[in-house]
């Protein structure tokens, strides 16, 4: 599917514009259905965007927030994406939103993935908003090159849900929604910042295997248009 590049002069300008676009999309979903959903990524990039979005005046009590992926650590661990969202997005007006975590206390990461699939199924499909990030290796969500379940994660026929992923660059075992869960969001955003990430994007947009740069699966096969938000 096509992608559109939205470039901004600064991360602050990007955060304001993306927060407005996301708030409008969530409000439209609430008007249409009475509810709205958003799946966000972790990492360092989205913090300012989360903080601005949390101040937007929408019916947050009708919004469900979840994560695109999560490290297999509890919410009190500094590596937790839940902790990042709790500290930066579930604040201010967005405090009244419902949050569905991916991490579940379980005997294994496989059992946690099964529980996360069960609990996130009630969120409804497709997501109204998905915010993806991208690593320097071209991963997105927890679709890491060389990942233990990468082929399954990227396979469009894999059922929607949360699966496990282990990879050299991933740190802890991961919990990640599948490509099929993310690729048809009403608003599908790739949020990247810095010249380096722009170079990585250019490489990903070129030829090569999806397995080498998994963001290619989204850029090439997502049902929804990919809105790329970039600032230096
Ligand atoms: O759990 C995670 O780490 C994220 O979901 C991951 O996919 C992230 O979006 C990229 O690694 C980019 O991270 P940065 O924004 O820190 O560069």
């Amino acid at each position: 599917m096509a992608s559109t590049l939205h470039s901004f002069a600064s991360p602050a300008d990007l955060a304001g514009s993306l927060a407005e676009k996301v708030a409008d999309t969530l409000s439209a979903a609430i008007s249409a259905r009475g509810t709205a959903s958003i799946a966000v990524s972790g990492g360092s990039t989205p913090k300012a965007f989360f903080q601005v979005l949390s101040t937007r005046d929408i019916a947050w009590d009708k919004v469900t927030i979840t994560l695109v992926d999560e490290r297999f650590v509890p919410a009190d661990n500094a590596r937790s994406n839940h902790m990042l969202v709790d500290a930066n997005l579930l604040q201010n007006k967005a405090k009244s939103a419902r949050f569905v975590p991916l991490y579940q206390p379980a005997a294994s990461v496989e059992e946690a993935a099964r529980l996360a699939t069960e609990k996130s199924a009630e969120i409804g499909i497709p997501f109204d908003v998905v915010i993806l990030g991208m690593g320097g290796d071209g991963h997105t969500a927890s679709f890491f090159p060389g990942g233990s379940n990468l082929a399954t994660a990227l396979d469009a026929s894999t059922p929607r849900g949360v699966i496990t992923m282990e990879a050299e660059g991933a740190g802890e075992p991961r919990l990640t929604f599948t490509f099929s869960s993310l690729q048809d969001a009403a608003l599908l955003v790739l949020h990247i910042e810095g010249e380096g990430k722009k170079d990585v994007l250019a490489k990903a947009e070129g030829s090569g295997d999806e397995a080498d740069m998994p963001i290619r699966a989204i850029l090439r096969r997502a049902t929804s248009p990919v809105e790329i938000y970039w600032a230096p």
Side-chain angles (χ1 to χ4, degrees):
M1 177 50 84
S3 59
T4 304
L5 178 63
H6 307 268
S7 297
F8 296 87
S10 70
D13 288 352
L14 183 154
S17 179
L18 183 53
E20 187 175 344
K21 178 68 178 172
V22 167
D24 290 349
T25 304
L26 295 174
S27 292
I30 292 166
S31 300
R33 299 194 322 266
T35 61
S37 62
I38 176 172
V40 296
S41 287
S44 56
T45 301
K47 201 169 174 179
F49 157 63
F50 287 165
Q51 291 168 354
V52 175
L53 180 60
S54 74
T55 66
R56 285 293 182 272
D57 193 5
I58 67 172
W60 283 105
D61 61 328
K62 296 185 171 57
V63 177
T64 298
I65 300 172
T66 190
L67 286 161
V68 161
D69 67 334
E70 179 63 285
R71 298 83 184 270
F72 186 51
V73 294
D76 61 0
N77 183 305
R79 288 275 298 160
S80 162
N81 287 335
H82 181 172
M83 179 185 278
L84 175 79
V85 170
D86 210 35
N88 296 283
L89 180 50
L90 294 170
Q91 298 290 325
N92 306 312
K93 293 191 167 79
K95 227 176 174 55
S96 61
R98 179 171 74 112
F99 179 74
V100 175
L102 296 194
Y103 173 81
Q104 304 290 333
S108 68
V109 61
E110 287 76 17
E111 176 60 12
R114 192 190 62 74
L115 291 170
T117 296
E118 205 173 271
K119 290 179 186 297
S120 58
E122 66 193 47
I123 296 176
I125 53 178
F127 285 116
D128 292 298
V129 179
V130 163
I131 308 288
L132 295 173
M134 183 184 69
D137 58 0
H139 83 261
T140 191
S142 285
F143 309 157
F144 286 87
S148 52
N149 283 322
L150 183 61
T152 302
L154 298 184
D155 184 342
S157 65
T158 298
R160 294 172 192 261
V162 177
I163 64 172
T164 67
M165 190 69 68
E166 296 195 38
E168 205 169 306
E172 309 79 357
R174 297 290 190 101
L175 296 160
T176 184
F177 273 106
T178 58
F179 170 85
S180 56
S181 308
L182 303 170
Q183 59 90 32
D184 59 353
L187 174 64
L188 180 59
V189 173
L190 172 60
H191 175 197
I192 55 175
E193 294 182 4
E195 294 300 336
K197 290 283 181 76
K198 199 171 186 187
D199 294 342
V200 174
L201 174 66
K203 187 178 174 196
E205 289 174 329
S207 59
D209 293 342
E210 289 181 4
D212 295 336
M213 298 187 83
I215 187 65
R216 286 175 171 152
I218 293 288
L219 295 169
R220 295 176 181 173
R221 293 190 281 122
T223 307
S224 301
V226 184
E227 305 298 338
I228 302 171
Y229 279 67
W230 176 83

